[in-house]
Amino acid sequence: MKTLIKSHESDTMSNRIVHISVQLFSNEELARQVTEECQLLEIMVTVLLYMMESCLVKSELQDEENNFHVVVNCGEPLLKNNTYWPLVSDFINILSHQSVAKRFLEDQGLLQMWMNFVSFFQGMNLNKRELNEHVEFESQTYYAAFAAELEACAQPMWGLLTHCKVKEMEEYTRTVVRYCLDALQDWFDAINFVDEPAPNQVTFHLPLHRYYAMFLSKAVRCQQLDLDSLLPDQEMLMKMMVHPLQIQASLSEIHSNMWVRNGLQIKGQAMTYVQSHFCNSMIDPDIFLLQVCASRLDPDYFVSSVFERFKVVDLLTMASQHQNGALDPEHERSMLEGALTFLVLLLSLRIHLGMTDDEILRAEMVAQLCMSDRTHSTLLDLIPENPNPKSGIIPGSYYFENMLSAVADFKAPVFEPGGSMQQGMYTPKAEVWDLEFDPIMVILRTVYRRDVQSAMDRYMGFLKQTGKFDGNPWPPYRERAFLNPSYKGLMRILHCKTLHIVLFTLLYKISMDHQNMSEHILCMVLNLIELGLDNLPEETIEEEEMFGEERCSDSWFHATNIGTNLHHIINHVRVRVPETAPEVTREAPASTSSDTTGAQSSNTAQVFSLVAERRRKFQEIINRNSSSTIHTADVRPKTSKWTAPNSTPQLTTTILEVRESMLSLLIKLHHKLSGKQNSYYPCWLEDSESTSRLDPMQQIHGDGTTAVERILIKTAARSRQNKFSIEEICRKVAPPTPPKKSISDKKALDKEERRQKARERQQKLLAEFASRQKSFMETAMDLESPDSDVAMDIGSSERQDSETVYDCVICGQSGPSTEERPTGLVVLLQASSVLGHRCRSTEPKKLPTSDEEQIYPEDTCGTAHDVRITDLQRHFKDSSCLQSISIGWEGGVYVQTCGHTLHIDCHKSYMESLRNDQVLQSFSVDKGEFTCPLCRQFANSVLPCYPEKNEEKSLWLPYNNKTMQVLIREVEEQQEQLGMFPVSISSVTNLSKEMESVMKDIRSTTQKKYIDYGKIPGSPDNDFLFMYSVARLNLELELVHRGGNLCLGGASATSKRSCLNQLLHVLAMHMRLFRIDSAYNPWARLTRLTQVIESGICDDEKPDVPLLYRDVPSLLMILVLTMPQELHKEHFTCIVKVLYNLLYTQALATLSVKFNEDEREAWKNSGKLQITGSSEKSCEVLLSHIISELSKGKLYCANNTDQPSMITTTIWSPQTLEYSIQQFCLPFFRTASLLQHHLFSDDLPSCQQTEEEFGMLASFLGLLPSSLHLNDEIHSSSCLEWPVAALDIVSQWCLEVTSVELHSEQNLLVQDPQWSLPCLLQLPENYNTIFQYYHRKACIHCSKVPKDPALCLVCGTFVCLKGQCCKQQSYCECVLHSQNCGAGTGIFLLINASVIIVIRGHRFCVWGSAYLDTHGEEDRDLRRGKPLYLCSERYKVLEQQWVTHTFDHINKRWGPHYNGL
């Protein structure tokens, strides 16, 4: 013990001790032997006693000066560090054996010592309410106190209780109960307690009370003992109820902010007291003990005690004004609500009064599920643990799962419109809401008060959804479960005059609109009345007739039965009110003077004082029990002091005319709640038999009027007299009333109507807001919705107007974009390597989970293009190479917009305000980052909108009847002249400045290594290549977002928010600054026969790239973006036609290389035989000619040895050849079609089958001859239209290839441009497969096992998270890899946590987990140790966010990583 106390590492030592002792004491035989031979129990209890005696302090509870009780000091390290835990753990362990527990219960000396030990915790951690100043230092020792009571007191108690559940153990139970009572009596004596608790003090720790309560519960429930034989006398019961009742009142005070000066820790105590791990051992025994006291004490005494403890006695007056010395006015309402709610709780709960374990578990589950949908693990944690091993509340038990499936439906993990992920949830079944939702149980189990409102909101949603009730419902009233006969006396509370007076007073105050009354108060009042009607005493109700002649007397109620007192009329009441109250000015009528003097004795209820009543009852009990004269003498002076608590000079007594019964008040309240006069009409008057047939419990769901109607029906059904009274009241309901009263009623009615209208207005506004929000979310976030309608459609729908009008989302002004005041689109520029990770195979790569499995990156798009660039640069001129390919597959810049526009100058002001804003932003303003002022979408630049004029739009004409040669000449002429913008490049305007600025932003978005591919860094050729590649990349990415093809056609959601039109204008403006060398213009080589290529062979420098080696989509971008803007559609079609000729030739050349020698010879000969007049459109003729021309070089020789397998695997029939040509051409068709769609706003067509896509796009691009229709079978050769003789120009192109001597034998023809859609790695189904392979895997760089291993889900690279060992130039490995693999975007799976993190530039976020357990829950950090399985839906969402570049928009919790990941 001393070693433990002195140890600096008590946790380590405790664990080591327990690891040994648990093995020793888990064996019952060994534990029994050690107990008998070594007196282990005595040693343990003695050591625990000595240990606690080292930290005892004097208790300050109650009478501080005369208090002789000592308690443990919770601030001592012994309690704060749980040093006692190993000893208590061993003690609990050996008490689990029945033979040892019996020995403990038989030894009276041990029991006495144990009660002394428990008494050290009785009243510890005392809280004193601060009334003046806020407490300087908030002590956090309270959790040590709660943990100490739970572990050192409650756990051994539960251990003993498990053995006291059979009849044979009843003597042991009696013994423990007796020792508990003795210990309690000693405690009361030690703290010098009589009957009043000290004001403004509370302790939540009463283990002696709880020991007594729990053994009492076990004795009655399991051993069928007589409750009265175990109870003390009345005086002891009154003492025992005081402190638990004080805790309930203090809970209400804390929630009413009366303890606010004590700091947050007092709220922490209140929440811990009811929290799921503590409630079984704290609030539940306290409520049960109070129920026992209420069942045996005088009900009037108990009720008055409750209201006195809650400090609302002065509020319970029928006067409109009162004085309350105990409470501030702002606290009165919440304290009265607390008192009434406590009474309803006390009378409704059956946890220890007759419910079975099954019923308790079901009620607990329903309560938790009604507050909120719960995950399986949360539910297990929130259900209070039942110490009974047979209860079934064991994590994952079959019994628990059965109960859960009976009350709840499982909702699989879903994704909200904003993209946030939900885990698998359990939600209550419809029949549970209908029949089992119990607000009282919810109130008992709520740690946060907002959960009660949450449950009611969900209940209202259920009622509206099922059509049961459309209004604002009240908490449903539930009939209570079976009550053990031993506790029948509890129901006497409902049938005492004191409670009836309180109920009558509150009904009157609510009907008169007195201040501090609320709907909740009325709800609780009606609940108490209904409970009384459901639990009427067994004696006949006909006793009411004997009081019939006194029905109009001036006294309070004569009977105790609520059924009788409901119709009893109160005529006048004498009240004490302040002199300023309106009641004082009114003289008592002369006719009532004799009545008011009819009160004979001072204890008539007309001057009713709850405190006086409680004191009188207490005095009677003490006298009846013949208590000592000392106690009596102590009480009397206090009694005289409290009889007239309102006797201050400012108060005066007056007579209040009432003339109401509770029934008449209920009917008035019905009128008030419904907002209509004469709204209530007894249903049985329409049908005389309806009272017997009508089931009032069918009216469970509804508002206040429903509750009042249900009570009146029950009243009429249970009493003939009440039925007559209701009918009589309804007949007299419309007599003339005094003017003053009618005015007040009218005011109340008007007020209620105004409230109702305000409520309806609010609901309408909320519904409208929700509708707008939903619409906005669909347009802003749902990337897959083709129907979403964006607020700013970039003016594309307004092309018929003279100029496009834009709305600035900052200043709100509308107008066109001009040269001097340009408007811009809010855009996000981000570097992307998504396309570079595409593969040829349609099957995604699998994540390696063994040493045999590997991932080879050589077959990715990015690698293939890098290899091709290198090969071209080895053989050809650098400037020519940089116009023959596209870059950006890795590190390209993707531009996306939310669709909103703003003035550039407004944006600059907005950015300046963000820089001056002191609020911590989740983005870096210095890097140009901001959020859209309207939709809050993340952005980092503004793309200027090009001003469009009416005369320019007239140039966008459809294809006309000009010949091919004319169009070719026009295109060439336009290329030779400087393409002038309407805004001249030479003139510097605000628009041109902004276009240059955004171009700088685009360049700075990606790293330098992804721009400089030329041999001369920073050369204009590099910039030229980069700019048209940006256009190509954005088109290709849109194609990927559409699913890789254009079969669906139309305008997708992404294209509606597309900024490609504006982007193309910016790129075109800058590309026109670079003049293509006229001596070697690709357009000339494409459209006519030239002899230019011969000149390059003689020079020492490298030749230009042959046309057959050049990338056709890249040529399309170059030709379109270097044309003068605006581009004519006829010229665009002409460019596409010319490029298709080259593409078709490339396809035939590439396919011919795949033939074997015999096939080539056969195709060459067959083509020669078919030369006719239409041979220019004959596939066989062209293929034959190409094979003949290319045979002059070494191309076929080099490739015959490379692909021997192809000889036997592929048979090239005409059909196979045609299919291969179409597949080769389709990527170009798709890119050209998207470009045409954005340039000319042509709607894309659609087709049903992928086989029809080629013909559909050929027709859309204007390649099909007019003689052909879409329904006809379309051959790729029929789309050809040669500007000169086909065989001659093909010969020229082939000559370019054959005249070049390559340094190595390799094929530089454009290969199959088809790539599959980008996707992440395929993960194994079971997470354990990943964990077992990678959590001990050594890093390939440092050869150490990382502390936090991580996996790139894009390429499968194994990296060290936060590893200093692999740090390079202050960049940790994950950040470095995100730059190399994803150009700043990285997706990593953390092996030891099962979560995925996303790195985006200088920020990162925790995305979530793609692996869930069988209940659809994450297991972050693998704390729960559950088997985890891949959630395909989540992983698809992750992949979609990666492909669509929406991480920044959908994930909200970003933070800087400072290169430390």
Side-chain angles (χ1 to χ4, degrees), residues 305 655 736 1072 1225 1231:
S305 295
I655 304 298
R1072 288 299 297 170
C1225 298
T1231 305

Side-chain angles (χ1 to χ4, degrees), residues 25 30-49 87-88 90-111 113-114 117 156 160:
F25 301 142
L30 183 58
R32 185 182 57 77
Q33 188 177 348
V34 176
T35 304
E36 290 176 355
E37 296 177 6
C38 305
Q39 287 77 44
L40 182 63
L41 283 171
E42 290 86 341
I43 292 170
M44 282 186 163
V45 177
T46 306
V47 169
L48 282 169
L49 265 174
L87 299 176
V88 171
D90 288 343
F91 186 59
I92 295 166
N93 204 356
I94 62 168
L95 285 181
S96 64
H97 306 304
Q98 188 165 13
S99 56
V100 180
K102 275 186 177 181
R103 179 176 172 81
F104 178 80
L105 294 170
E106 286 167 354
D107 192 327
Q108 297 188 5
L110 270 176
L111 273 176
M113 287 170 65
W114 185 250
F117 174 78
L160 292 171

Side-chain angles (χ1 to χ4, degrees), residues 595-606:
D595 295 333
T596 56
T597 56
Q600 297 295 320
S601 60
S602 61
N603 65 350
T604 50
Q606 289 167 329

Side-chain angles (χ1 to χ4, degrees), residues 315 320 322 324 327-337 340 506 509-510 513-519 521-522:
L315 181 59
S320 59
H322 65 277
N324 193 335
L327 280 182
D328 293 334
E330 66 265 22
H331 299 141
E332 284 184 336
R333 177 190 294 179
S334 57
M335 288 301 290
L336 181 56
E337 288 174 354
L340 293 167
L506 292 174
K509 289 176 78 68
I510 293 167
D513 280 328
H514 286 184
Q515 63 180 3
N516 283 334
M517 294 294 109
S518 69
E519 197 175 75
I521 290 172
L522 177 58

Side-chain angles (χ1 to χ4, degrees), residues 11 49 121 278 304 416 424-425 522 563 589 804 833 874 939 1087 1100 1168 1257 1311 1329 1377 1437:
D11 285 349
L49 265 174
F121 300 89
F278 295 89
S304 55
E416 294 178 342
M425 293 283 188
L522 177 58
T804 306
S833 293
R874 191 182 300 129
T1087 56
D1100 293 335
K1168 286 178 180 177
L1257 295 180
Q1311 299 304 307
T1329 309
H1377 182 75
V1437 167

Side-chain angles (χ1 to χ4, degrees), residues 173 249 262 325 369 420 464 629 664 775 927 995 1077 1242-1243 1384:
T173 308
N262 287 64
L369 290 168
S420 59
K464 286 183 177 177
T629 53
S664 67
S775 170
K927 290 184 172 68
M995 284 189 162
D1077 188 0
D1242 293 347
D1243 287 338

